[in-house]
Amino acid sequence: MGKQATPAKRPRKRKRNRYDRIVFWGIIVAVVSITLLLWSPFHKAKKITGSKPPVAGKQREPVDQERKITAVVAIVIDDLGQDMKPAQDLLDLPDRITLGVMPHLPFSKKIAETAHQNGREVLVHIPMEAKVRAEKRFSPGILRSDMTPMEFISTVKEDLDSVPGAAGTNNHEGSSLTENREAMTFLMSELKARGLFFLDSMTNAKSAAYTVAKEFGLKSARRDVFLDNDGNNPAAIRTQLDELARKARQNGRAIGIGHPHPATITELKKWLATIDEQGIEVVPVSALVK
């Protein structure tokens, strides 16, 4: 019989096989790990998650690069309240025209309510005494210099109550009364109490209304352009609309006042179709009072 293998050699063989298996699986794990790291989906994901966050304060450029606003205008069409149709025509316009509604007229309240439902701003267009007026031609709710203080304040309150939800006021006519600082003091005290602003229609270059409003701390502004002194002349109205745009571009902002003449509404509609290319935006007049 030959010699038997010594018992010590078998353990060495088992150790060698175990070592080989460890090495083998180690190589497999390494290959798999490298493959996963280099595999493109994981590689892209790493790039995305590792990218820098956007810098605070910077915003993505707007999609519409064609419309760049360089100026804003507010347009008030007043003398409303006698008829519903012109008010509805104005509400049908795409831009936010401000409606000046006179007190105590047949459709004053309905126009104000409809305007609010359509998201439009309303002013109480308060009638005031003019230097020249037709004999016995007084608008309802007119403020006059011959009123007692109690009559004056009472009339102001009634005028404001007749146009619900108004954001502010402006004067109808008033070339005489707006020169009267005492009368303007009574008016502004009531507007202050109600938190309303005042737009001076500037029917008189000597008007004290704006100055008194500022003294009371009211938000206020002055009219820049009358749109339709010649309300039956479309060419003249368009010239004034272009003047409003010119002043807005020059100063960054401008306020125009017009009236519900058919020619005014027609020309206004045409002009509004061009304001995008002019870089002009229409805003409520409350955005331009300070």
Side-chain angles (χ1 to χ4, degrees):
M1 293 180 60
K3 294 182 178 180
Q4 295 181 350
T6 60
K9 289 182 179 179
R10 291 178 183 175
R12 286 177 187 154
K13 187 175 181 180
R14 284 198 299 272
K15 284 181 180 179
R16 190 179 298 114
N17 292 340
R18 186 180 303 161
Y19 176 78
D20 291 343
R21 287 197 298 272
I22 291 172
V23 171
F24 173 77
W25 286 111
I27 292 171
I28 295 297
V29 170
V31 170
V32 171
S33 298
I34 292 171
T35 301
L36 291 176
L37 287 173
L38 295 178
W39 192 31
S40 59
F42 284 88
H43 191 56
K44 290 179 181 177
K46 185 178 180 181
K47 285 184 178 179
I48 294 171
T49 56
S51 60
K52 293 182 180 180
V55 178
K58 288 188 177 180
Q59 297 182 1
R60 184 171 61 85
E61 290 291 326
V63 175
D64 184 3
Q65 295 293 328
E66 295 181 1
R67 188 182 189 195
K68 187 175 181 181
I69 303 302
T70 59
V72 293
V73 301
I75 297 176
V76 181
I77 302 297
D78 51 33
D79 286 7
L80 295 167
Q82 190 66 47
D83 188 355
M84 194 68 197
K85 185 181 184 308
Q88 191 60 59
D89 289 341
L90 292 166
L91 293 174
D92 288 340
L93 295 175
D95 294 273
R96 293 178 291 178
I97 307 300
T98 299
L99 276 60
V101 181
M102 296 186 69
H104 309 297
L105 294 183
F107 291 91
S108 297
K109 185 176 181 180
K110 184 175 181 180
I111 289 172
E113 292 172 345
T114 306
H116 295 317
Q117 292 168 4
N118 285 269
R120 304 299 175 86
E121 191 165 81
V122 171
L123 304 183
V124 185
H125 189 44
I126 301 179
M128 300 185 191
E129 185 179 14
K131 288 186 176 182
V132 179
R133 61 177 180 269
E135 186 177 359
K136 297 183 180 180
R137 184 183 171 187
F138 289 107
S139 300
I142 190 171
L143 301 178
R144 305 188 315 274
S145 57
D146 60 355
M147 288 177 163
T148 67
M150 290 295 292
E151 289 173 334
F152 192 96
I153 291 294
S154 176
T155 303
V156 171
K157 290 181 177 180
E158 291 171 359
D159 287 351
L160 298 177
D161 290 341
S162 74
V163 185
T169 68
N170 73 323
N171 55 290
H172 171 72
E173 298 183 345
S175 57
S176 175
L177 195 72
T178 55
E179 284 187 357
N180 186 325
R181 287 186 61 90
E182 184 180 15
M184 292 301 99
T185 298
F186 285 125
L187 172 63
M188 301 311 166
S189 66
E190 184 61 27
L191 298 186
K192 179 73 172 180
R194 298 197 183 209
L196 302 176
F197 65 80
F198 179 76
L199 170 65
D200 193 340
S201 301
M202 293 300 293
T203 56
N204 183 347
K206 296 180 180 179
S207 171
Y210 175 79
T211 301
V212 175
K214 298 306 288 186
E215 290 172 357
F216 269 81
L218 265 67
K219 288 186 175 181
S220 51
R222 287 180 280 207
R223 179 270 309 162
D224 294 295
V225 178
F226 267 130
L227 302 178
D228 52 7
N229 283 331
D230 188 352
N232 295 318
N233 187 335
I237 294 168
R238 185 55 185 254
T239 297
Q240 291 302 96
L241 285 166
D242 290 339
E243 174 65 7
L244 180 68
R246 186 193 68 78
K247 287 197 172 186
R249 287 192 296 268
Q250 179 181 348
N251 302 317
R253 48 191 279 165
I255 299 174
I257 293 181
H259 304 88
H261 306 304
T264 300
I265 296 174
T266 298
E267 291 306 310
L268 179 59
K269 184 176 182 180
K270 294 177 185 177
W271 183 80
L272 290 173
T274 72
I275 61 173
D276 280 2
E277 61 193 45
Q278 297 185 60
I280 294 173
E281 181 179 12
V282 177
V283 298
V285 73
S286 61
L288 300 186
V289 296
K290 58 182 179 178

